[in-house]
Amino acid sequence: MARNVAAEYSKGTLGEFLRLSPQDLERARAERRPELDRETLAAALREYHRDLGTLDANVEALLTRLSHPESRVVVTGQQAGLLTGPAYSVHKGAGAALLAQKLNTDDAPVVAVYWVASQDHDAEEVASTTLLDLNETLHRLTLDVPAGVPVGRVAWRDEWTAEVLTLLERFEAPAEHRAAVRARIERAISGNGSPRTGYADVFARLIHGLLAPAGLLVLDPMHPALARLMAPALARELEQPLTSSERIEDAAERLSTAGFTPQLRRPAGATNLFVEEQDSQRRLLRFDGQTFSTDTRAYTRADLRARLDADPTRLTPAAGLRPAVQDTLLPTLAFVVGPGEIAYGAQLKDVYPLHGLQQPLLWPRLSVTWLEPNVARLLRRLHATAAEVQADPEGVLGRALARERGAGAVAAGRLQSLEAELEQLITDLAQLDPTLVGAAERTRRRTLPRVAHLQRQAASALARAEDERSGQLTRLNKHLLPNGVPQEREMNFLTYLLKHGETPLRQLLALDAGFVGEVEIS
């Protein structure tokens, strides 16, 4: 079984692959970025927030802090999912804001920034969202977002507004909470008259509306003022277009040798750059040593430089380059990331020096599983955690029912007793005839897994029978494993605001920056 990069990173044992560990927060805090023009960065972000319709006194205060010559940034980011997408998109932003609050001082200000991944072109990743109402009805909304087009180019459509509002009308929740969420969404769509009316803009305004009180700026890399600041990094990449890919592949081989599964692979000739072509499709650039090409046409280096000069939003970084480009723009102290992004990061340490940088600290994101009151009560009755249910919902419920009914056949202790009995039997047989030990041990190895399997089948049968009567298993799955996916990766955070008002948001913003666990909505 492959080793887990994120788990090893949390122990501080990946120094070969990641420059800093979570234990190096103070070291990261002590590092400086004196070469970065913070005033120009703040001016570009001011222009973006003005265009987004979110420039207010709070944003201006954050930009003033960012302009300080010793300022640093805690950055996080996510694809621009529908209505904020899965809950962890909001959790990441909250964690970044909380970490920035913790590290901020007057002499060395720290500002949280949410990078809206508007350059991404995977429509399937951003077009859907899931919400659960008070009637335990799962609502799944999917919009027809065009495939292959950077989401930052996709204009928000009136028919999408109608679909969202129809969902809200069907959603069973207290009228006052539903009205408040509807107002949030309508403000995000209208932008208070902002000229920016794209799909990514709606996401950015929703994230900003939720998390601005905690001290968060949003950043869209496709905004012209910001794209211009990143253009020099992309121009550098054009000069040695395969070097970053070679370094990523080298890290992949070393990770494989160490027992990990690499997340990034760069086939021969693949660069870490995408170009947006005339048909609006974003395509990977390849390089054969002399000529660049996509699946549709060839380019010279001069062609791409001219395109970058004319419109820097048309040339964009792939996953293997994006963090380094991000950090050429920002004075990053820490990058708040999920487990998959940590695995990506383990291949990128040697990409940073190509751009005159060192890899920043990767900070594991805040993670919350929300427990609504009815689910919290059920978990207490089952003597189980949400994580245990997510790992084995039928087993947790079935074993709890067996305990209640005094049915010890499926208890873990029963299997342990059987194992002890078999071990003693083998010892006794060995004293009578040592030649029987091998056969007895093989019998033990076959018997225990088969009995454990039968116990799991019995527990599952109990759970399904109870579910037919009371719906407990269905309820647990809808809340904790909606559509078969762990809650945080599927359920929209707005679900909880719709049903419980602002309480979940207040609870989220009262957590520690590194919190991982379950929160009962009170």
Side-chain angles (χ1 to χ4, degrees):
M1 184 175 179
R3 297 168 69 191
N4 184 289
V5 172
E8 294 292 333
Y9 178 63
S10 67
K11 302 174 188 175
T13 58
L14 280 183
E16 179 186 353
F17 300 102
L18 288 152
R19 189 177 70 91
L20 300 172
S21 77
Q23 292 75 36
D24 293 322
L25 185 59
E26 287 305 313
R27 177 181 165 190
R29 189 178 187 180
E31 294 177 349
R32 295 289 179 261
R33 290 285 302 279
E35 82 289 355
L36 203 145
D37 185 347
R38 289 157 168 83
E39 290 190 358
T40 298
L41 170 61
L45 279 166
R46 180 176 290 106
E47 185 176 337
Y48 167 58
H49 274 271
R50 182 182 296 115
D51 289 347
L52 193 66
T54 53
L55 185 63
D56 57 18
N58 289 332
V59 170
E60 285 288 5
L62 292 172
L63 293 173
T64 298
R65 280 165 49 187
L66 184 60
S67 299
H68 190 285
E70 294 296 323
S71 73
R72 303 295 298 284
V73 159
V74 174
V75 63
T76 193
Q78 190 59 37
Q79 293 163 300
L82 175 58
L83 302 181
T84 70
Y88 74 83
S89 298
V90 176
H91 298 165
K92 287 173 86 171
L98 292 166
L99 184 59
Q101 289 175 16
K102 175 181 177 179
L103 299 176
N104 180 62
T105 65
D106 290 340
D107 294 337
V110 181
V111 177
V113 173
Y114 198 109
W115 184 286
V116 179
S118 60
Q119 297 164 331
D120 195 90
H121 60 278
D122 190 343
E124 189 174 344
E125 290 286 330
V126 301
S128 300
T129 198
T130 299
L131 301 99
L132 178 68
D133 71 14
L134 285 175
N135 285 339
E136 309 286 0
T137 299
L138 273 175
H139 298 265
R140 179 74 171 168
L141 178 62
T142 300
L143 304 182
D144 56 337
V145 178
V149 178
V151 70
R153 301 282 185 218
V154 177
W156 184 269
R157 303 175 188 168
D158 290 342
E159 58 264 33
W160 293 346
T161 300
E163 290 180 60
V164 169
L165 296 183
T166 297
L167 182 152
L168 292 178
E169 287 300 317
R170 295 198 309 265
F171 194 94
E172 183 61 34
E176 66 274 20
H177 299 334
R178 194 169 56 186
V181 171
R182 175 173 176 148
R184 277 189 186 274
I185 293 171
E186 289 178 330
R187 284 195 301 272
I189 293 170
S190 70
N192 295 319
S194 163
R196 295 183 66 89
T197 57
Y199 196 90
D201 300 321
V202 173
F203 174 88
R205 285 191 282 259
L206 279 170
I207 290 290
H208 188 260
L210 289 166
L211 301 176
L216 184 86
L217 296 169
V218 287
L219 185 159
D220 185 336
M222 290 191 72
H223 186 274
L226 293 158
R228 281 194 296 273
L229 298 182
M230 289 178 281
L234 301 174
R236 270 194 304 274
E237 193 73 10
L238 285 173
E239 296 306 309
Q240 300 182 70
L242 296 180
T243 304
S244 59
S245 295
E246 290 163 359
R247 295 191 178 190
I248 288 168
E249 271 300 295
D250 175 69
E253 293 301 323
R254 289 186 287 114
L255 280 166
S256 294
T257 300
F260 299 100
T261 300
Q263 295 295 298
L264 281 173
R265 299 310 302 236
R266 307 311 292 153
T271 74
N272 278 297
L273 292 168
F274 280 91
V275 63
E276 188 180 342
E277 299 192 296
Q278 295 300 321
D279 59 358
S280 298
Q281 296 288 296
R282 183 176 182 246
R283 296 187 175 94
L284 182 68
L285 277 170
R286 294 178 175 82
F287 186 64
D288 64 8
Q290 301 211 347
T291 305
F292 292 87
S293 64
T294 65
D295 293 336
T296 63
R297 59 162 292 183
Y299 299 88
T300 66
R301 185 177 278 110
D303 291 335
L304 294 169
R305 283 179 185 151
R307 183 172 291 235
L308 185 61
D309 289 341
D311 184 354
T313 68
R314 301 283 174 175
L315 194 68
T316 52
L321 182 62
R322 195 199 68 77
V325 171
Q326 165 189 284
D327 297 331
T328 64
L329 178 69
L330 301 173
T332 303
L333 187 163
F335 185 13
V336 176
V337 292
E341 292 164 307
I342 292 173
Y344 271 58
Q347 293 180 245
L348 304 183
K349 183 174 77 169
D350 295 333
V351 173
Y352 277 82
L354 298 174
H355 296 275
L357 299 171
Q358 297 185 99
Q359 187 179 42
L361 172 69
L362 303 187
W363 182 263
R365 68 170 173 84
L366 178 150
S367 178
V368 180
T369 299
W370 294 99
L371 304 183
E372 297 188 64
N374 59 337
V375 173
R377 287 192 296 271
L378 180 54
L379 288 176
R380 282 193 287 270
R381 202 199 96 199
L382 299 177
H383 303 287
T385 67
E388 289 168 339
V389 171
Q390 289 171 331
D392 182 15
E394 288 187 349
V396 166
L397 179 58
R399 288 189 294 272
L401 292 169
R403 284 194 302 272
E404 289 178 0
R405 299 173 188 181
V410 301
R414 192 70 174 271
L415 188 64
Q416 291 166 358
S417 297
L418 175 60
E419 183 175 16
E421 285 288 334
L422 288 173
E423 287 176 352
Q424 184 61 52
L425 178 61
I426 292 169
T427 300
D428 294 346
L429 289 172
Q431 293 175 350
L432 298 174
D433 183 353
T435 65
L436 297 176
V437 171
E441 180 60 31
R442 287 191 294 275
T443 299
R444 185 188 72 83
R445 287 198 300 267
R446 289 194 300 267
T447 300
L448 290 174
R450 289 175 179 174
V451 172
H453 177 67
L454 292 171
Q455 284 186 315
R456 288 193 295 272
Q457 286 185 314
S460 294
L462 275 174
R464 290 192 296 271
E466 176 64 20
D467 192 51
E468 290 179 5
R469 186 185 70 82
S470 66
Q472 288 184 11
L473 181 62
T474 296
R475 180 178 301 112
L476 286 171
N477 280 330
K478 283 183 176 181
H479 281 265
L480 302 177
L481 281 168
N483 300 320
V485 179
Q487 179 200 96
E488 189 179 34
R489 302 194 64 83
E490 178 73 10
M491 193 79 79
N492 192 300
F493 181 73
L494 297 182
T495 284
Y496 308 109
L497 302 192
L498 281 161
K499 290 189 279 186
H500 306 283
E502 296 293 296
T503 296
L505 183 58
R506 287 194 294 269
Q507 289 181 277
L508 175 64
L509 296 179
L511 297 174
D512 181 79
F515 180 87
V516 176
E518 302 166 10
V519 174
E520 182 173 349
I521 298 173
S522 56

